[in-house]
Amino acid sequence: MLMALAPAHGQTTVDNPFFSAYNTPFGVPAFDKIKPEHFEPAFDEGIKQQLADITKITSQKSAPTFANTIEALEAGGDLLNRVSTVFFNLNNANTSDALQKIAQSVAPKLAKNGDDISLNPALFKRVKTVYDQRNQLKLTGEQQRLLEKTYKNFVRGGAALTPEKQERLRKINEELSVLTIKFGQNLLAENNAYALVIEKQEDLSGLPASLVSAAADEAKKRNLSGKWVFTLQNPSIMPFLHYADNRALREQLLKAYLERGNHNDARDNKAVMAKMVMLRAEKAQLLGYENHAAFVLEESMASTPAKVSELLNQLWAATVPVTRQEAAELQAMMDKDADPRRGKNEKLASWDWRYYAEKLRKQKYALDAEQLKPYFSLENVREGIFMLTNRLYGLRFERRTDLPIYQEEVQGYEVKEADGRHIGIMYMDFHPRSSKRGGAWMTSFRRQEVKNGRKISPVVSIVCNFSRPSGDAPALLSLDETRTFFHEFGHALHGLLSNVTYGSLSGTSVPRDFVELPSQIMENWSTEAQMMKLYAKHYKTGEVIPDALIEKINKSSLFNQGFETTEYLAASLLDMDYHTLKPDQTPTDVLAFEEKSMDKIGLIEQIPPRYRSTYFQHIFAGGYSAGYYSYIWSAVLDADAFEVFKQKGLFDPKSAQSFRKNVLEKGGTDEPMTLYKNFRGAEPDIKPLLRRRGLMKVL
């Protein structure tokens, strides 16, 4: 949208793509025209225009109403929203030195702008006036929700504080914004800095041919032809830990992974995250909360740290006996090993667990994870997901090569209803690169909303770090990567199928412990026999996955669940330990704090928490502070919710439409438990999750 105010820094609307409407199909971002030098001027102008929008609201003589205050506030800041979504998405998925410098520069500006709005007394007075009249106003349910959320955001943003406390809050927010950027940049640099270079063929013993081929390809990229390079990216390190016979190399690679951000150098994250913990605790107390977790969880389904701790400790008690039994089995297998290079006569260590677990899996279930990969080519999995969403919701996905993309590997799709109506645009970005942070996530370039009576369609993206094609084979996914694809697609559906009026309530704009429900319920279909028969086909022969393999997958579904649940719960409990501290309790030695935290719960030495403190990106750079428990909370929901499809049919259209109408379309327009009960008919039961993880018999 062209703005009345002149662009900053002397740029014209012709110079900068952000200063005019995107001349692109469906109005997607003009990635082919956006350059790093466009961002800062657009940020500056966006801030300027948003503050002008605020001044227009506060300077009017008319009495505050829902329309002239709440809706006007919701509608403001268009330019800043547009540039922010593009910039931060690119900084995560395709960063550069230039973008990282810009991130450091704009972070304090954005923190100040947020505070200038949240702490604007005239604006808060108008918002409060409307809020105080809420029972007399004839508002729709969604309008009531927006009013309540707007008012709470101001209070939680410090609007009711004294001027002295507001000034301190501004400084905290500014510093936290810079530290968050710093943590993420340090971790990306750590991931890219390490490489295990193997020169001897015998050191590749045990590794699958596909992994060896990928390591050779990586070596060639680094001008190390004739050698093999393994990195800290999941598609490289995880299969290495599962299959490498050389125990010393497994140890070397895992230790490099576990010590990221912990080298007392320029990329060290210990001081960064410790300062963040302290500032978050201080901010919570300024706002009247006991600790950061209490502040965060007030807006969650869990509502209090005590309820989170109750769930985590209940699951921990059920998991510990299973984990100890698993450890004993693996130690027995090590004791019988005839080769000292693999681990004979050694005590089971963290770098042994995955290796011997894989051997035990083969022994117990005759299942080799490498057997499965040929049936899970990236293309087949993608087409299977398309097929599933078509059966459930009638959706169609059409590849669009005319969409501008931000990186040559990115794919764009138009999403349509069964009758051909346009729903939105979806980007997919699958493979690791040095410019992309680790992990997998869904994000949005434009959220669904209604403006001036017209529905604005969403533009979403899923970003992953899946195994690349290697040699003459396409990208072949592990079973875990396949589940991840289904998971992120579930998030994407939440964004795509949103059907609300206000953007701040649309799609995934829900509490953290509810946002994982749409993603995690999608994972259930990935290994259902009826579903696998539709998409799991050998990439060479087209052969449908045999019943014998499906049976092995199902029989082994409880295998190693102690390990997987333990490492996750340990990280969740570590998150809560950090974020229930008061400011004066912030640890000076975060490694000692972490060790004490894990000793307190009795974490066995062979299993580190899934994320250690110095690379726990979810809670220090990913928005999940005091919220990593959300995955297991949502797992209770998704296991219970999927019972509907197990009872009524895997592709039952009536159940699917109910889930779409009551959950996927609603965004944050109602309380999560209300939305869940509207679909399920009752609150969730924990028993389906315990059965799924083999923990039921322990309780």
Coordinates of all heavy atoms in Angstrom, one line a residue, residues 572-604:
S572 N 12.5 -29.8 29.2 CA 11.3 -29.0 29.7 C 11.5 -28.6 31.1 O 11.1 -27.5 31.5 CB 10.1 -29.9 29.5 OG 9.8 -30.2 28.2
L573 N 12.0 -29.5 32.0 CA 12.2 -29.2 33.4 C 13.3 -28.2 33.6 O 13.3 -27.4 34.5 CB 12.5 -30.5 34.2 CG 11.2 -31.4 34.3 CD1 11.7 -32.9 34.6 CD2 10.3 -30.9 35.3
L574 N 14.4 -28.3 32.7 CA 15.4 -27.3 32.8 C 14.9 -25.9 32.4 O 15.2 -24.9 33.1 CB 16.5 -27.7 31.8 CG 17.8 -26.8 31.7 CD1 18.5 -26.6 33.1 CD2 18.7 -27.3 30.6
D575 N 14.1 -25.8 31.4 CA 13.4 -24.6 31.0 C 12.7 -24.0 32.2 O 12.8 -22.8 32.6 CB 12.5 -24.9 29.9 CG 11.6 -23.7 29.5 OD1 11.9 -22.5 29.8 OD2 10.5 -24.0 28.9
M576 N 11.9 -24.8 32.9 CA 11.1 -24.3 34.0 C 12.0 -23.9 35.2 O 11.7 -23.0 35.9 CB 10.1 -25.4 34.5 CG 9.0 -25.7 33.4 SD 8.0 -24.2 33.0 CE 7.2 -23.8 34.5
D577 N 13.1 -24.6 35.4 CA 14.0 -24.3 36.5 C 14.6 -22.9 36.3 O 14.7 -22.1 37.2 CB 15.1 -25.3 36.6 CG 14.6 -26.5 37.4 OD1 13.5 -26.5 38.0 OD2 15.4 -27.5 37.5
Y578 N 15.0 -22.6 35.0 CA 15.5 -21.3 34.7 C 14.5 -20.2 34.9 O 14.8 -19.1 35.5 CB 16.0 -21.2 33.3 CG 17.4 -21.7 33.1 CD1 17.7 -22.7 32.2 CD2 18.5 -21.2 33.8 CE1 19.0 -23.2 32.0 CE2 19.8 -21.7 33.6 CZ 20.0 -22.7 32.7 OH 21.3 -23.1 32.5
H579 N 13.3 -20.5 34.5 CA 12.3 -19.4 34.4 C 11.3 -19.3 35.6 O 10.4 -18.5 35.6 CB 11.5 -19.5 33.1 CG 12.4 -19.2 31.9 ND1 12.7 -20.1 31.0 CD2 13.0 -18.0 31.6 CE1 13.5 -19.5 30.1 NE2 13.7 -18.3 30.5
T580 N 11.7 -20.1 36.7 CA 11.0 -19.9 38.0 C 11.9 -19.2 39.0 O 11.6 -19.1 40.2 CB 10.4 -21.2 38.5 OG1 11.5 -22.2 38.5 CG2 9.2 -21.7 37.7
L581 N 13.1 -18.7 38.5 CA 14.0 -18.1 39.4 C 13.6 -16.6 39.6 O 13.0 -16.0 38.7 CB 15.4 -18.1 38.7 CG 16.1 -19.4 38.6 CD1 17.4 -19.3 37.8 CD2 16.4 -20.1 39.9
K582 N 14.0 -16.0 40.7 CA 13.9 -14.6 40.9 C 15.2 -13.9 40.5 O 16.2 -14.6 40.3 CB 13.7 -14.3 42.4 CG 12.3 -14.8 42.9 CD 12.2 -14.5 44.4 CE 10.7 -14.8 44.9 NZ 10.3 -16.2 44.7
P583 N 15.2 -12.6 40.2 CA 16.4 -12.0 39.7 C 17.7 -12.2 40.5 O 18.7 -12.4 39.9 CB 16.0 -10.5 39.7 CG 14.5 -10.5 39.7 CD 14.1 -11.7 40.4
D584 N 17.6 -12.3 41.8 CA 18.8 -12.4 42.6 C 19.2 -13.9 42.7 O 20.2 -14.2 43.3 CB 18.6 -11.9 44.0 CG 17.4 -12.5 44.8 OD1 16.7 -13.4 44.2 OD2 17.2 -12.2 45.9
Q585 N 18.5 -14.8 42.0 CA 18.8 -16.2 42.0 C 19.5 -16.6 40.7 O 19.8 -17.8 40.5 CB 17.6 -17.1 42.2 CG 16.9 -16.9 43.6 CD 15.6 -17.6 43.7 OE1 14.8 -17.7 42.7 NE2 15.3 -18.1 44.8
T586 N 19.7 -15.7 39.8 CA 20.3 -16.1 38.5 C 21.7 -16.7 38.7 O 22.5 -16.1 39.4 CB 20.4 -14.8 37.6 OG1 19.2 -14.2 37.5 CG2 21.0 -15.1 36.3
P587 N 21.9 -17.8 38.1 CA 23.2 -18.5 38.3 C 24.4 -17.8 37.7 O 24.3 -17.3 36.6 CB 23.0 -19.9 37.7 CG 21.9 -19.6 36.6 CD 21.0 -18.6 37.2
T588 N 25.4 -17.8 38.4 CA 26.7 -17.2 37.9 C 27.4 -18.3 37.1 O 28.2 -18.0 36.2 CB 27.6 -16.7 39.0 OG1 27.8 -17.8 40.0 CG2 27.0 -15.5 39.7
D589 N 27.1 -19.5 37.3 CA 27.7 -20.7 36.6 C 26.5 -21.5 36.0 O 25.9 -22.3 36.7 CB 28.6 -21.5 37.5 CG 29.3 -22.6 36.8 OD1 28.9 -23.0 35.7 OD2 30.3 -23.2 37.4
V590 N 26.2 -21.3 34.8 CA 25.0 -21.9 34.2 C 25.2 -23.4 34.0 O 24.3 -24.2 34.1 CB 24.6 -21.3 32.9 CG1 24.2 -19.8 33.0 CG2 25.7 -21.4 31.8
L591 N 26.5 -23.8 33.8 CA 26.7 -25.3 33.7 C 26.5 -26.0 35.0 O 25.9 -27.1 35.0 CB 28.2 -25.5 33.2 CG 28.5 -24.9 31.8 CD1 29.9 -25.2 31.5 CD2 27.6 -25.4 30.8
A592 N 26.9 -25.4 36.1 CA 26.7 -26.0 37.4 C 25.2 -26.0 37.7 O 24.6 -26.9 38.3 CB 27.4 -25.2 38.5
F593 N 24.5 -24.9 37.3 CA 23.0 -24.9 37.5 C 22.3 -26.0 36.7 O 21.4 -26.7 37.3 CB 22.5 -23.5 37.1 CG 21.0 -23.3 37.3 CD1 20.5 -22.9 38.5 CD2 20.1 -23.7 36.2 CE1 19.1 -22.8 38.6 CE2 18.7 -23.5 36.4 CZ 18.2 -23.1 37.6
E594 N 22.7 -26.1 35.5 CA 22.2 -27.2 34.7 C 22.4 -28.6 35.3 O 21.5 -29.4 35.4 CB 22.8 -27.1 33.3 CG 22.3 -28.2 32.3 CD 23.0 -28.2 31.0 OE1 22.8 -27.2 30.3 OE2 23.7 -29.1 30.7
E595 N 23.6 -28.8 35.8 CA 24.0 -30.1 36.4 C 23.1 -30.3 37.6 O 22.6 -31.4 37.8 CB 25.5 -30.1 36.7 CG 25.9 -31.5 37.3 CD 27.4 -31.5 37.6 OE1 28.1 -30.5 37.4 OE2 27.9 -32.6 38.0
K596 N 23.0 -29.3 38.4 CA 22.2 -29.4 39.7 C 20.7 -29.7 39.3 O 20.0 -30.5 40.0 CB 22.3 -28.2 40.5 CG 21.5 -28.2 41.8 CD 21.7 -26.9 42.6 CE 21.0 -26.9 43.9 NZ 21.1 -25.7 44.7
S597 N 20.2 -29.0 38.3 CA 18.8 -29.2 37.8 C 18.6 -30.7 37.4 O 17.6 -31.3 37.7 CB 18.5 -28.3 36.7 OG 17.2 -28.5 36.1
M598 N 19.5 -31.2 36.7 CA 19.4 -32.6 36.2 C 19.6 -33.6 37.3 O 19.0 -34.7 37.3 CB 20.3 -32.8 35.0 CG 20.1 -31.9 33.8 SD 18.4 -32.2 33.0 CE 17.4 -30.9 33.8
D599 N 20.5 -33.3 38.2 CA 20.7 -34.2 39.3 C 19.5 -34.3 40.2 O 19.1 -35.4 40.8 CB 21.9 -33.8 40.2 CG 23.3 -34.0 39.5 OD1 23.3 -34.8 38.5 OD2 24.3 -33.5 39.9
K600 N 18.8 -33.2 40.3 CA 17.6 -33.1 41.2 C 16.5 -34.1 40.7 O 15.8 -34.7 41.5 CB 17.1 -31.7 41.2 CG 15.8 -31.4 42.0 CD 15.4 -30.0 41.9 CE 15.0 -29.6 40.5 NZ 14.5 -28.2 40.4
I601 N 16.4 -34.2 39.4 CA 15.4 -35.1 38.9 C 15.9 -36.6 38.7 O 15.1 -37.5 38.3 CB 14.8 -34.6 37.6 CG1 15.8 -34.4 36.5 CG2 14.0 -33.3 37.8 CD1 15.3 -34.0 35.2
G602 N 17.2 -36.8 38.9 CA 17.7 -38.1 38.7 C 18.0 -38.5 37.2 O 17.8 -39.7 36.9
L603 N 18.3 -37.5 36.4 CA 18.6 -37.8 35.0 C 19.9 -38.7 34.9 O 20.9 -38.4 35.5 CB 18.8 -36.5 34.2 CG 19.2 -36.7 32.7 CD1 18.1 -37.3 32.0 CD2 19.6 -35.4 32.1
I604 N 19.8 -39.9 34.3 CA 20.9 -40.7 34.2 C 22.0 -40.1 33.3 O 21.7 -39.4 32.3 CB 20.5 -42.2 33.7 CG1 19.9 -42.1 32.3 CG2 19.5 -42.8 34.7 CD1 19.6 -43.5 31.7

